[in-house]
Amino acid sequence: MSKIILEFDSYEEAGDARTALDGYKWKIAMWDLDQLLRAVTKYGAFEGREATEHERDMADTLRDSIREILNGYSLNLED
């Protein structure tokens, strides 16, 4: 099994350390956002009511944009 060791030596690097440690939380948050948008496109529902056609189209567009942005950073929600 491999080990990855991250070292942060100073108080000034505390923010970088927190960012490194919270990476999985960012992924979960993006997953939750994607699933919210997916529900709008798949089920046509938003905030307990029927989504408008514009809302469904926008949700679909945003899902595509999220994937393009993540792909640009070599990231994938499904991994």
Side-chain angles (χ1 to χ4, degrees), residues 1-54:
M1 176 183 269
S2 299
K3 285 186 181 181
I4 297 175
I5 299 172
L6 301 174
E7 286 190 27
F8 298 93
D9 296 325
S10 66
Y11 178 76
E12 290 81 23
E13 294 177 334
D16 293 336
R18 178 55 38 208
T19 298
L21 295 171
D22 285 346
Y24 76 96
K25 291 180 185 177
W26 282 94
K27 182 174 183 173
I28 293 169
M30 290 303 297
W31 174 263
D32 289 346
L33 175 60
D34 181 69
Q35 293 305 297
L36 175 73
L37 295 170
R38 179 180 178 270
V40 174
T41 60
K42 183 172 183 177
Y43 303 111
F46 180 67
E47 295 183 341
R49 62 171 172 76
E50 184 176 345
T52 65
E53 182 178 343
H54 179 72

Side-chain angles (χ1 to χ4, degrees), residues 2 11 15 23 32 38 45-46 48 56 63 67 69 75 77:
S2 299
Y11 178 76
D32 289 346
R38 179 180 178 270
F46 180 67
R56 290 190 301 271
R63 285 188 82 208
R67 282 172 168 63
I69 291 167
L75 298 171
L77 287 176

